[in-house]
Amino acid sequence: MEGAQGSPPVSRSPVPGSDEPAGAARGPGGLPPGESEGCARPLETAPKKLCGYLSKFGGKGPIRGWKSRWFFYDERKCHLYYSRTAQDANPLDSIDLSSAVFDCKADADEGTFEIKTPSRVITLKAATKQVMLYWLQQLQMKRWEFHNGLPAAPDAALAGNGPALRLELEQEEAELEEFLCPVQTPPGLVGVAAALQPVPAQSSALQNISLKHLGTEIQNTMYNIRGNRQAQGAGHGPPGEDSPPSGEPVREEQPLPPNPSAPGDDPADSAKPAPKSSLTANLIQKAKRQNNTFPLFSEGLTRNRTAQEKVLALEQQVLILTKELKSQKELVRILHKALEAAQQEKRASSAYLAAAEDKDRLELVRHKVRQIAELGRRVEALEQEREGLVQTASLREQQVQELQRHVQLLMDKNQAKQQVICQLLEKVTQDFMQPHNRPPAPPDAADRDFLSQQEKMEHLKDDMEAYRTQNRFLNSEIHQVTKLWRRVAERQKALLMKCAYLQAKNCQVESKYLAGLRRLQEAVGDEASECSELLRQLTQEALQWEAGEASADSGVLSPISSEYDEYGFLTVPNYEVEDLKLLAKIQALEVCSHHLLAHEAVERPRRERWAALGELAPSAELKQLLRAGVPREHRPRVWRWLVRRRVQHLQAPGRYQELLSRGQACSQPAARQIELDLNRTFPNNKHFTCPSSSFPEKLRRVLLAFSWQNPSIGYCQGLNRLAAIALLVLDEEESAFWCLVAIVESIMPADYYSKTLTSSQVDQRVLQDLLSEKLPRLMAHLGQHRVDLSFITFNWFLVVFADSLISSILLQVWDAFLYEGTKVVFRYALAIFKYNEEEILRLQDGLEICQYLRFFTKTICDSRKLMSIAFNDMNPFPMKQLRQLRTAHGERLEAELQELEQLKAAYLETQASRLPAVPEACASEDELDGEA
């Protein structure tokens, strides 16, 4: 069976036209010779169709209980249809098995199992335990075949697809046979042969009626009555038999009907109002139209049968129709009572409307009020009765608990007795071994006690076997459902990857389209022509288009699905110049494309490596991970660890609060400059532009605390952006403060943020030397056009690219910068120029080059390419060389500053010596003002 083995057994349906039952050629108990019960493989003659009678628990009110239903599985839809009998024309409802799970409980009634779907739970009961296990395993098999796209007949599939599919089925079957052996097909209780069996008897005919599907019940009844009349008029054959030729074979499969009352369908479609005169005719016509849609076994099964079988079938039909007639009469009686109540209500309403005077109407209203009051008293009485029943139930629960405690005591006593019995058995054995010392026979009471204990042990063994069977089946169900879930997860992952790839391609196409618009716009210029007007219109439409609209259906795949990124930066920078706005849109699309393409191939493995890293410690692996970037969920923890390594010799408990208190006690000279720079911090970040945001206040406190921490610097322009980046990632003021301290006092060289910015100027000269070494063509080109790079790169080093790179690349640079130091800044500065080298070389005008260098860092979108250039293409990059260049340029700069100071002092002396003396006859301007 598939549920326990993962693949269907090889089974064949009976030969068409054969009278041999499905269970023929079997040994005692319905098993073939040589096979044990419960662990036998299905015979080659097992029925192909999954169908049979089961009891379904349902209904409401007095008719709630077990109802006999005929179940039939649809191979195409993976639905289990059911009707009242096998001869019904229309099914009552269906169960979707594609997303269902199956369960059986050892403590429930024998043969009871459940089918659990996302919307409901269906409780069914088979005639025997073997039938229940057969149904469960067959349903598991059908579900597995449906999810794996296997055909209904394994033999046909194996014949058409070769040995590969057969091998897969055999492997799955062998894997699942460890849980539960295949159950033998119960003879006569399932399959086509079950339709010939009598319908299981019910306690009352009304109980088997489905009021929920009353329209379908009426249609089936009309069809059966009509079929019976036709059969009796013909004088032969059972109802529904159309006297086919004797040689016509039994139909193997028939198409299944649409489910008129399945969940989600409009119930009005199955019972539309019609004129009374044509109601019966419509029902008969509808039954005739649908008589070939549901598997009616009365047609295919009654052919080629003996006269005795036909007589038995007719008698069975008579019994069924008699029961149906009784149930229909009972239903008519119930509906008659409801009609009488409605008529009384109608008469009362008519009397009220027909009353001539208000007095009569008032009397009618009073009568209704008295009735309402009487009903209210009845409701109160029923409520009191309910409360009494609740109290009685609580007392019963207490009694049950007391009985449970008593049962527990009896079980303990029983266990003690079992121990005594074991001792007595040992003693009896010893007495048999030693007949001369054998004691007298125990009394009759001890014999009875021994027999009762033996009986209880047998019951316990039966329970143990039932629980073992339940455990094996549930293990097989868990195993198969887990495999199905994994396959669904793999398919979903593949679809997400495909969606991300297609979305990335879409972004690339849009980016190329916008880039083409920009080039055409530059080529056409401002010429008044139809082409330029069309370009302006297309450009305006491109700028008005929101990136979030195109990716609204893509969920979390697109990083530009919102206006801001995860750290609050604008995903599309807001440039004032129209050309730059178009460039910003192109940049956002390229960022989206790179992110989507790297999501599964790069991002997921990187996140898994970080999740498995555990405790942080300096290592080559950590260095490579930091260079590749830290995932957002791990970045705050990693940055705190990096900062703590840098400032652990400076940190002291309560230091930050102490500095804040000092700032409140007296004013800081740098406070005015800090206030001026607060409003200029990251104007494209919502956390620093929103009036209700708390970030500006946090930034103010961090900068004031640092000005007291390092009075020699106090505050320098650029520190606000360093502290802001730390706040965005760490979110805590104190952590951001120590991050700023680590950058200024530990990572960067001394005097980097002093008033003279000596170390900053030295690094600019070092960068010029490195550019000449690593990128000689670019430096020659810039030197030819007299472009000074220090105007652009000075700010890069001062704020560690905070204003230059997009946020995703910026934070990746900071991840490595906090661990490795300033060497990372040089690496990325060189990599930025290498990334855009060809674009710069194409420019042949100095002014145009300077304009391009103002914003060209924002066009960098591929973080992996930039990182590869920085840490691979720029090698070798020894720290020793960097120190030597810094030392040499530092000495040179000191000498130049001293020379400049000497020149300044000499100039002042010369100016003082050249001042002419004021003549006595000439009055100074101050004296003239005094006289006036």
Side-chain angles (χ1 to χ4, degrees):
M1 302 306 302
E2 183 274 331
Q5 295 83 23
S7 61
V10 179
S11 60
R12 303 182 186 276
S13 52
V15 178
S18 174
D19 294 334
E20 182 181 0
R26 292 175 181 154
L31 299 177
E35 292 188 13
S36 59
E37 182 178 359
C39 196
R41 296 188 176 277
L43 295 176
E44 293 296 324
T45 58
K48 175 182 173 182
K49 295 181 179 179
L50 177 59
C51 52
Y53 280 104
L54 293 172
S55 296
K56 178 179 177 295
F57 189 79
K60 294 183 179 179
I63 61 173
R64 181 172 178 80
W66 294 103
K67 301 181 180 181
S68 175
R69 295 288 182 262
W70 172 261
F71 285 83
F72 182 86
Y73 177 72
D74 181 5
E75 303 282 351
R76 298 167 300 173
K77 299 181 180 179
C78 195
H79 277 224
L80 189 65
Y81 288 90
Y82 61 89
S83 62
R84 198 149 54 88
T85 65
Q87 290 75 28
D88 286 348
N90 303 313
L92 297 176
D93 203 348
S94 67
I95 305 170
D96 185 5
L97 301 182
S98 60
S99 57
V101 294
F102 313 113
D103 188 15
C104 64
K105 295 180 173 59
D107 54 353
D109 296 340
E110 182 181 0
T112 302
F113 62 99
E114 292 179 349
I115 300 177
K116 299 180 180 179
T117 66
S119 59
R120 57 177 176 162
V121 177
I122 301 94
T123 305
L124 305 175
K125 184 163 67 173
T128 62
K129 179 181 177 182
Q130 183 186 7
V131 177
M132 176 194 73
L133 292 177
Y134 175 83
W135 272 95
L136 287 172
Q137 290 188 339
Q138 284 288 338
L139 291 175
Q140 282 184 326
M141 175 190 71
K142 302 301 183 182
R143 182 185 60 190
W144 180 263
E145 289 178 353
F146 179 79
H147 278 284
N148 291 275
L150 300 178
D155 288 345
L158 295 174
N161 298 334
L165 183 57
R166 180 185 295 274
L167 181 60
E168 180 183 354
L169 295 176
E170 291 177 353
Q171 288 177 350
E172 185 66 24
E173 181 178 358
E175 182 179 349
L176 289 178
E177 274 186 358
E178 301 175 1
F179 299 108
L180 192 65
C181 296
V183 178
Q184 176 67 32
T185 304
L189 297 178
V190 293
V192 177
L196 305 177
Q197 302 296 326
V199 179
Q202 297 290 322
S203 57
S204 65
L206 181 62
Q207 188 178 10
N208 205 33
I209 293 294
S210 176
L211 295 178
K212 181 180 178 182
H213 312 95
L214 188 57
T216 306
E217 288 276 8
I218 295 174
Q219 293 175 14
N220 292 332
T221 303
M222 295 294 295
Y223 177 80
N224 290 334
I225 292 174
R226 175 177 169 272
N228 260 349
R229 289 176 179 174
Q230 290 180 353
Q232 292 173 2
H236 62 85
E241 185 172 354
D242 298 331
S243 301
S246 58
E248 183 180 351
V250 179
R251 284 183 298 173
E252 287 297 321
E253 292 190 15
Q254 297 177 354
L256 288 171
N259 185 11
S261 56
D265 293 347
D266 188 1
D269 295 340
S270 60
K272 293 184 178 179
K276 294 183 179 179
S277 60
S278 61
L279 176 61
T280 304
N282 288 340
L283 291 176
I284 293 174
Q285 290 177 3
K286 188 171 183 180
K288 288 177 65 178
R289 287 195 304 268
Q290 296 180 350
N291 62 353
N292 288 327
T293 60
F294 193 69
L296 296 179
F297 292 92
S298 59
E299 296 182 8
L301 296 175
T302 55
R303 298 168 184 172
N304 303 321
R305 295 190 301 178
T306 63
Q308 184 179 0
E309 289 178 348
K310 293 180 180 180
V311 171
L312 291 175
L314 287 174
E315 290 177 354
Q316 180 65 25
Q317 287 292 330
V318 170
L319 292 175
I320 292 173
L321 291 176
T322 304
K323 292 180 181 179
E324 287 181 353
L325 182 60
K326 290 180 181 180
S327 61
Q328 294 295 338
K329 287 181 179 180
E330 185 67 21
L331 180 62
V332 168
R333 187 180 63 80
I334 294 173
L335 295 176
H336 184 66
K337 287 184 179 181
L339 180 61
E340 287 181 355
Q343 288 177 349
Q344 290 177 2
E345 186 69 23
K346 181 180 179 181
R347 284 196 295 271
S349 301
S350 300
Y352 177 80
L353 295 174
E357 298 180 0
D358 293 340
K359 185 185 297 184
D360 298 335
R361 293 185 177 181
L362 183 60
E363 184 60 29
L364 291 173
V365 171
R366 288 176 179 172
H367 178 66
K368 289 296 181 182
V369 169
R370 287 193 294 272
Q371 288 182 348
I372 292 172
E374 180 64 23
L375 292 175
R377 286 192 295 272
R378 290 183 183 179
V379 169
E380 291 178 357
L382 291 174
E383 185 66 26
Q384 293 177 359
E385 184 179 357
R386 188 187 67 81
E387 292 178 356
L389 292 175
V390 169
Q391 294 177 359
T392 304
S394 62
L395 293 175
R396 296 295 184 191
E397 289 180 358
Q398 294 177 1
Q399 293 177 2
V400 168
Q401 293 177 359
E402 184 66 27
L403 290 174
Q404 288 178 349
R405 289 194 292 269
H406 185 63
V407 168
Q408 184 63 36
L409 293 175
L410 290 177
M411 291 177 67
D412 296 340
K413 184 178 178 181
N414 186 19
Q415 186 176 2
K417 287 183 178 181
Q418 288 180 357
Q419 294 177 359
V420 173
I421 288 170
C422 292
Q423 294 175 1
L424 290 174
L425 287 174
E426 293 177 359
K427 190 174 182 182
V428 168
T429 304
Q430 293 176 0
D431 291 340
F432 277 115
M433 297 298 294
Q434 300 175 1
H436 298 288
N437 299 328
R438 184 171 57 188
D444 295 340
D447 290 340
R448 288 194 298 271
D449 192 10
F450 176 75
L451 293 176
S452 64
Q453 295 297 333
Q454 289 288 345
E455 184 178 358
K456 290 180 180 178
M457 289 178 65
E458 292 296 330
H459 288 311
L460 290 175
K461 289 180 180 179
D462 293 340
D463 293 342
M464 186 183 301
E465 184 63 27
Y467 280 114
R468 185 179 292 111
T469 303
Q470 177 193 8
N471 185 40
R472 289 174 178 173
F473 170 74
L474 293 179
N475 285 339
S476 68
E477 178 71 7
I478 292 171
H479 177 80
Q480 190 184 93
V481 171
T482 302
K483 292 191 70 174
L484 291 175
W485 176 81
R486 287 176 179 171
R487 293 201 175 193
V488 171
E490 290 174 359
R491 292 173 185 171
Q492 183 181 10
K493 180 180 177 181
L495 289 175
L496 284 175
M497 291 181 64
K498 183 177 180 181
C499 181
Y501 176 77
L502 293 176
Q503 191 176 356
K505 289 296 182 182
N506 183 43
C507 291
Q508 291 177 357
V509 171
E510 292 172 3
S511 173
K512 292 177 181 178
Y513 166 72
L514 296 177
L517 279 181
R518 186 168 178 268
R519 291 194 183 98
L520 287 174
Q521 196 176 31
E522 292 174 352
V524 173
D526 297 331
E527 298 177 2
S529 63
E530 295 181 1
C531 182
S532 62
E533 182 63 27
L534 178 61
L535 283 175
R536 279 194 294 270
Q537 182 180 356
L538 292 175
T539 304
Q540 186 177 4
E541 291 176 358
L543 292 175
Q544 290 175 353
W545 174 82
E546 293 295 334
E549 295 178 1
S551 57
D553 297 333
S554 60
V556 297
L557 288 177
S558 175
I560 59 171
S561 58
S562 60
E563 186 179 0
Y564 296 93
D565 66 4
E566 53 193 5
Y567 289 101
F569 290 97
L570 283 170
T571 54
V572 180
N574 187 16
Y575 297 132
E576 296 181 359
V577 183
E578 291 296 324
D579 290 348
L580 297 184
K581 286 183 178 180
L582 194 59
L583 187 65
K585 185 73 69 174
I586 296 172
Q587 168 204 339
L589 290 170
E590 290 180 355
V591 170
C592 174
S593 173
H594 289 299
H595 175 82
L596 291 170
L597 291 175
H599 181 71
E600 291 294 332
V602 179
E603 294 296 325
R604 189 181 296 275
R606 183 166 61 92
R607 291 175 186 275
E608 293 175 355
R609 289 181 65 188
W610 274 105
L613 191 59
E615 190 68 24
L616 297 177
S619 64
E621 181 187 8
L622 179 63
K623 184 177 181 180
Q624 294 300 323
L625 287 174
L626 288 170
R627 287 181 174 183
V630 183
R632 185 181 186 278
E633 61 269 20
H634 298 285
R635 184 167 278 135
R637 175 177 67 94
V638 174
W639 278 28
R640 289 189 185 96
W641 178 79
L642 294 172
V643 169
R644 189 163 52 251
R645 290 181 63 247
R646 297 283 185 177
V647 297
Q648 56 186 353
H649 62 287
L650 300 173
Q651 276 183 319
R655 175 64 175 169
Y656 179 68
Q657 298 299 329
E658 177 186 346
L659 295 173
L660 288 180
S661 302
R662 186 184 303 178
Q664 294 174 357
C666 54
S667 61
Q668 168 62 243
R672 182 172 178 275
Q673 187 62 38
I674 291 174
E675 291 295 330
L676 291 176
D677 283 352
L678 279 179
N679 296 328
R680 293 182 290 191
T681 304
F682 293 141
N684 60 343
N685 189 289
K686 66 178 180 180
H687 294 302
F688 293 99
T689 55
C690 180
S692 59
S693 176
S694 61
F695 276 81
E697 184 61 30
K698 292 181 180 180
L699 181 60
R700 177 186 291 108
R701 289 194 291 268
V702 169
L703 293 176
L704 286 174
F706 180 80
S707 65
W708 288 107
Q709 164 75 13
N710 194 331
S712 62
I713 295 176
Y715 176 76
C716 174
Q717 285 187 351
L719 296 182
N720 60 324
R721 283 161 285 182
L722 296 176
I725 293 293
L727 271 175
L728 289 173
V729 175
L730 301 173
D731 195 47
E732 298 176 1
E733 291 182 33
E734 186 170 358
S735 298
F737 165 76
W738 287 114
C739 183
L740 182 61
V741 172
I743 293 172
V744 176
E745 299 186 10
S746 179
I747 299 177
M748 292 299 194
D751 297 332
Y752 216 85
Y753 298 95
S754 63
K755 293 181 180 180
T756 59
L757 302 174
T758 306
S759 298
S760 302
Q761 297 182 54
V762 168
D763 278 355
Q764 297 308 303
R765 300 188 179 192
V766 173
L767 179 63
Q768 298 280 342
D769 289 353
L770 293 174
L771 282 170
S772 300
E773 176 187 348
K774 305 287 184 181
L775 303 172
R777 281 200 312 148
L778 179 65
M779 288 303 294
H781 181 72
L782 295 176
Q784 179 183 356
H785 295 281
R786 299 181 180 180
V787 176
D788 187 1
L789 290 179
S790 62
F791 290 105
I792 305 298
T793 59
F794 188 84
N795 192 55
W796 293 2
F797 283 74
L798 199 65
V799 298
V800 195
F801 304 103
D803 289 330
S804 306
L805 299 173
I806 60 176
S807 60
S808 58
I809 299 179
L810 170 65
L811 295 174
Q812 182 177 339
V813 173
W814 275 55
D815 293 336
F817 164 73
L818 291 175
Y819 184 73
E820 299 184 50
T822 54
K823 184 171 66 171
V824 172
V825 183
F826 283 99
R827 282 185 176 273
Y828 271 100
L830 296 171
I832 289 171
F833 284 110
K834 178 66 176 178
Y835 191 99
N836 295 273
E837 182 179 14
E838 297 301 326
E839 291 290 335
I840 299 174
L841 291 175
R842 276 197 289 266
L843 302 176
Q844 300 298 327
D845 181 72
L847 181 59
E848 190 177 1
I849 293 174
C850 291
Q851 290 178 347
Y852 178 74
L853 293 178
R854 284 173 48 211
F855 65 86
F856 82 110
T857 55
K858 292 288 186 179
T859 63
I860 299 176
C861 305
D862 193 345
S863 60
R864 287 188 295 164
K865 178 181 176 182
L866 185 66
M867 181 198 70
S868 177
I869 295 173
F871 295 105
N872 296 326
D873 297 355
M874 293 298 110
N875 285 334
F877 201 93
M879 193 64 190
K880 180 179 179 181
Q881 178 189 8
L882 188 60
R883 292 195 190 97
Q884 292 175 351
L885 290 174
R886 276 178 166 170
T887 302
H889 284 289
E891 294 174 354
R892 218 173 278 133
L893 182 61
E894 287 293 337
E896 291 176 2
L897 291 176
Q898 291 178 4
E899 183 179 356
L900 184 61
E901 288 294 332
Q902 294 175 0
L903 291 174
K904 182 179 178 181
Y907 173 77
L908 292 176
E909 291 177 0
T910 304
Q911 287 295 105
S913 62
R914 289 181 180 179
L915 288 176
V918 179
E920 295 180 359
C922 297
S924 64
E925 293 180 359
D926 295 338
E927 292 175 351
L928 291 175
D929 291 340
E931 292 178 357

